[in-house]
Amino acid sequence: MALLVQKYGGSSVADAECMMRVARRVHKTQQEGHEVVVVVSAMGKTTDNLIALAKQVNARPSDREMDMLLSTGEQISVAILAMALHSLGADAVSMTGPQAGIATDDAHTKAKIMAITPDRVRENLDAGRIVIVAGFQGITPAFDIATLGRGGSDTTAVALAAVLKADVCQIFTDVDGVYTTDPRIVPTARKLDEIAYDEMLEMASLGAKVLQSRSVEFAKKYGVVLEVLSSFEETPGTIVREEVKKMEDVVVRGVAADKGQAKVTIQHVPDKPGVAAQVFRKISAARINVDVIVQNVSEQGYTDISFTVPQDDLQRSETAMAGLLEEIGAKGVTYDPEVAKISIVGVGMRTHTGIAERMFGALADNSINIDMISTSEIKVSVVIKRSQADDAVRVLHEAFELSGE
Ligand code: ASP
Ligand code: MG
């Protein structure tokens, strides 16, 4: 007998028919002799719709009330799923996050789980019940309901799996696993049998939106084995787990694209200590997430500094730059809102050489110009024109022979 935590995302529980499908799957799992805890998201686009509704009555709704509102989406799901299971003759009970013992801090709309007291969940499992927990929510020290940030049900599931010491945390979604790249760009992209936490984190942060990044960090920290799989088909998914030596045999696990970046270049900056610090202090004070940074070779005491920011932050970057130029004595600033970051990811890079060279060569052969480069132990990223992003993904997927047969 294993203890499984199964999480079903919004698209997997979008309507009554989907709910019945999930109920059958959960019931079957229990009948195979397992204990099952189910975490569900709000049905379909419920969360988006609730946000839109709030904005109709208040352009800036309070975070506390927002949580009160958004947490209802998941509450609908747990009750409906419990009813669906009852209709199949299964014994099941639904719980809100607070009822399941999930305590958070008081950072409304982006709360962190502080502790879980899973006694009630455990008792119900012991009584032979399927326990259904509302994802994405918990209770603050002041007994207010709080939500965990968009996509937070993944984190609920992983956290419950960690405290209950579940054998696996299965994330059911509308794709059937993690792919070598986006199959909409490269139809021959291959589903991965397994991927290391660190690789998944890189892919997730690069827009492979199968899992909330925080949930992967959590899984890594507590050694929770994740499986990403389809709620519509009964095929094995992708296992996300601790890296093992064998994983290094594969040099590049996947190619990811982040098409939502913009580039800022500050021209003719005095090349002296403290200037870069001044620039990025200003940027971070404006709560802008800088990604790739490049400082050019200095010429006659001046240099250019370029960096990328999420496209949504470009406006705020422009505001932040306004006062700065004079302050640091720079000549001007240019913006390119149309860039993309393409990355190759793989733990095998730690032990193999010549990867960057192969990457740059493949791009050059296809006349794709590289604007900026950044590397980590398990990743090489390039910033290029956004119009060439899909091409670059195809070229790299091919160059590293990632396709299935
Ligand atoms: N319903 C929430 C959202 O849409 C949480 C989740 O789906 O994980 O972000
Ligand atoms: Mg989701």
Side-chain angles (χ1 to χ4, degrees):
M1 182 175 73
L3 169 54
L4 308 181
V5 174
Q6 298 192 328
K7 182 257 169 177
Y8 293 89
S11 55
S12 304
V13 293
D15 55 25
E17 195 186 320
C18 290
M19 281 287 186
M20 285 311 301
R21 185 187 302 121
V22 168
R24 282 192 294 272
R25 186 120 183 196
V26 170
H27 191 213
K28 190 176 139 214
T29 309
Q30 192 199 33
Q31 286 186 319
E32 284 163 359
H34 304 303
E35 291 183 315
V36 194
V37 173
V38 187
V39 173
V40 270
S41 293
M43 295 172 71
K45 296 254 165 288
T46 303
T47 308
D48 291 336
N49 295 341
L50 290 172
I51 293 172
L53 174 62
K55 295 268 160 81
Q56 281 175 39
V57 297
N58 190 328
R60 302 197 53 197
S62 100
D63 288 343
R64 180 188 181 277
E65 301 309 330
M66 209 56 190
D67 279 350
M68 191 65 105
L69 176 69
L70 296 190
S71 59
T72 62
E74 271 68 12
Q75 270 194 63
I76 294 172
S77 294
V78 290
I80 296 292
L81 183 57
M83 292 172 191
L85 278 159
H86 295 164
S87 79
L88 300 175
D91 197 1
V93 59
S94 67
M95 288 183 197
T96 62
Q99 285 175 321
I102 300 175
T104 68
D105 61 15
D106 58 8
H108 282 290
T109 75
K110 46 179 180 302
K112 289 207 163 62
I113 296 178
M114 304 306 281
I116 301 185
T117 317
D119 301 7
R120 225 174 140 183
V121 174
R122 192 64 263 177
E123 282 159 24
N124 278 281
L125 287 172
D126 290 344
R129 289 187 193 106
I130 294 162
V131 181
I132 309 160
V133 179
F136 169 65
Q137 54 177 261
I139 192 106
T140 69
F143 288 101
D144 284 322
I145 194 142
T147 65
L148 307 180
R150 296 308 305 269
S153 299
D154 289 347
T155 301
T156 302
V158 174
L160 276 170
V163 294
L164 294 166
K165 301 198 167 40
D167 295 272
V168 58
C169 178
Q170 297 179 308
I171 309 280
F172 288 87
T173 175
D174 49 5
V175 295
D176 59 355
V178 182
Y179 277 73
T180 48
T181 197
D182 186 342
R184 283 169 304 186
I185 302 175
V186 183
T188 55
R190 189 167 36 87
K191 184 168 74 187
L192 297 164
D193 295 333
E194 57 178 11
I195 183 170
Y197 293 127
D198 286 334
E199 292 171 332
M200 189 63 221
L201 279 169
E202 292 291 0
M203 300 286 277
S205 69
L206 290 164
K209 285 192 193 64
V210 235
L211 287 173
Q212 194 200 31
S213 292
R214 234 166 86 197
S215 71
V216 184
E217 273 160 25
F218 217 102
K220 179 182 171 185
K221 187 159 165 202
Y222 294 99
V224 175
V225 176
L226 298 176
E227 185 179 7
V228 177
L229 65 182
S230 164
S231 61
F232 302 97
E233 288 161 48
E234 303 231 355
T235 46
T238 302
I239 302 277
V240 188
R241 64 180 176 104
E242 195 53 65
E243 174 182 340
V244 288
K245 197 90 202 106
K246 187 180 115 249
M247 286 182 174
E248 292 190 340
D249 294 347
V250 177
V251 184
V252 174
R253 187 83 52 200
V255 182
D258 178 352
K259 297 186 200 166
Q261 298 225 337
K263 188 175 83 166
V264 180
T265 302
I266 312 175
Q267 295 160 323
H268 211 66
V269 181
D271 189 14
K272 57 177 196 221
V275 174
Q278 231 174 320
V279 171
F280 293 104
R281 201 177 301 128
K282 193 97 186 210
I283 291 287
S284 89
R287 293 180 169 278
I288 295 162
N289 251 326
V290 173
D291 191 0
V292 182
I293 302 175
V294 169
Q295 176 173 325
N296 286 341
V297 183
S298 161
E299 253 178 78
Q300 279 141 22
Y302 288 92
T303 181
D304 289 349
I305 297 178
S306 296
F307 55 91
T308 62
V309 297
Q311 207 185 358
D312 296 342
D313 285 348
L314 189 56
Q315 194 82 47
R316 274 194 293 155
S317 308
E318 292 184 26
T319 315
M321 284 302 122
L324 186 78
L325 292 186
E326 221 172 308
E327 229 174 88
I328 60 173
K331 196 152 98 193
V333 57
T334 58
Y335 302 98
D336 184 350
E338 297 278 312
V339 299
K341 185 174 76 166
I342 313 296
S343 310
I344 53 173
V345 176
V347 292
M349 288 184 201
R350 293 201 188 106
T351 48
H352 292 75
T353 55
I355 319 297
E357 179 196 0
R358 218 159 117 199
M359 179 184 196
F360 304 157
L363 293 172
D365 290 346
N366 289 275
S367 313
I368 296 169
N369 190 44
I370 301 172
D371 225 2
M372 301 163 97
I373 299 169
S374 95
T375 63
S376 81
E377 243 198 330
I378 65 162
K379 180 184 76 168
V380 184
S381 303
V382 295
V383 175
I384 62 171
K385 271 210 208 73
R386 191 176 306 150
S387 57
Q388 293 185 306
D390 288 358
D391 263 346
V393 169
R394 277 189 283 269
V395 161
L396 295 174
H397 198 265
E398 168 93 42
F400 289 97
E401 295 164 11
L402 294 174
S403 290
E405 26 288 298

